[in-house]
Amino acid sequence: MFTISQRFPRHRFFAAKLCAIIILGSTIIPPSLGAQDYPPDRARGKAVYDRHCQNCHGSNGRGDGPAAASLNVPPTNFSRFRSFIKSDEELMRTIEHGIVFSPMHSWRGRLTDGEMQDVVAYIRVLSQYGQ
Ligand code: HEC
């Protein structure tokens, strides 16, 4: 006849405990508290925007930056309704991947995830008050 410790040797208990800790741990700690600095910071977003985006999109986000006139596709005016109603995720996707055949190239690799989130937060400020 088997005793309980023969059926379930110690190391199995240990492995089961470890699994439980990992599974519980990952459900309790929300993913947003991972490596990224969260929540997005508008002030940091403004710094990123002024440096990389305002040349085309304009300092108020109306698509009238100094470089806008020379572009074949006009830069988005963020306070226009069509842009305003887009979700943060949509804007984030455009920033991350860019738009094909458009001067709006991908910023993945040039900006960190945190910087992209910050700049979306700042665009939201501009689209609200930019009118
Ligand atoms: C070289 C000029 C240029 C620069 C620099 C630039 N953009 Fe753009 N951006 C554009 C153009 C042009 C479009 C519109 C493209 C289209 O409609 O095809 C656009 C579109 C966008 C959109 C999509 C808006 C919408 O409503 O769908 C977002 C978001 C955006 N840009 C964010 C940024 C951010 C953030 C930066 C800086 C990190 C930036 N852009 C830098 C030219 C630029």
Side-chain angles (χ1 to χ4, degrees), residues 71-75 97-106:
L71 298 175
N72 52 355
V73 184
H97 302 293
I99 299 173
V100 253
F101 304 123
S102 157
M104 180 62 198
H105 61 71
S106 149

Side-chain angles (χ1 to χ4, degrees), residues 48-49 52-57 67 71 73-78 82-84 86 90-92 94-95 99-105 107 111 116 119-120 123:
V48 173
Y49 185 89
H52 297 291
C53 322
Q54 68 84 28
N55 201 26
C56 291
H57 288 281
L71 298 175
V73 184
T76 305
N77 173 349
F78 297 123
R82 261 174 48 192
S83 178
F84 179 75
K86 288 185 181 161
E90 279 176 287
L91 300 186
M92 187 73 183
T94 302
I95 297 166
I99 299 173
V100 253
F101 304 123
S102 157
M104 180 62 198
H105 61 71
W107 290 88
L111 298 178
M116 287 191 253
V119 88
V120 168
I123 286 174

Side-chain angles (χ1 to χ4, degrees), residues 33-45:
L33 291 181
Q36 292 228 3
D37 22 8
Y38 205 80
D41 184 315
R42 290 164 179 183
R44 277 197 311 240

